[in-house]
Amino acid sequence: MLEWLEAHQLPCLVRHYVGVECPGCGFQTAFFLLLRGDWKAAFGAYPALYPLILFVVLGVLRICGVKKIDPVWLKITGFACLATILISYLLKLTN
């Protein structure tokens, strides 16, 4: 099933129509690499994957009623996601 999903990834419409990679390009590839257990290659494909996973897990736990998760941690991880996405995108554009 994983092979089929990898072969049928969604195309990036920004890259297709504009010709420039978007800040989300590489996310699907990184996610599939992570599912295969290749952590280092997943980070190379999309460095914001790990802070994004942490943000989603904290958000889901908070929504499910875990009161120990302070909203400040959601703000911090959300900012870390945003900063990582922007920095990696700017580095990708300069290469």
Side-chain angles (χ1 to χ4, degrees), residues 8-88:
H8 294 88
Q9 291 184 28
L10 297 172
C12 178
L13 296 177
V14 174
R15 187 188 317 175
H16 180 74
Y17 289 112
V18 181
V20 179
E21 290 188 356
C22 73
C25 280
F27 175 78
Q28 291 181 89
T29 304
F31 185 72
F32 289 126
L33 287 169
L34 186 65
L35 289 178
R36 290 194 178 276
D38 197 350
W39 296 70
K40 191 183 289 188
F43 181 79
Y46 195 72
L49 181 67
Y50 299 117
L52 191 59
I53 289 173
L54 180 62
F55 177 72
V56 169
V57 167
L58 289 175
V60 167
L61 289 174
R62 178 74 179 167
I63 289 170
C64 289
V66 178
K67 300 289 185 203
K68 291 183 180 180
I69 297 175
D70 193 1
V72 172
W73 286 108
L74 286 171
K75 291 177 186 176
I76 290 170
T77 55
F79 180 75
C81 289
L82 207 66
T84 309
I85 290 169
L86 290 175
I87 291 169
S88 64

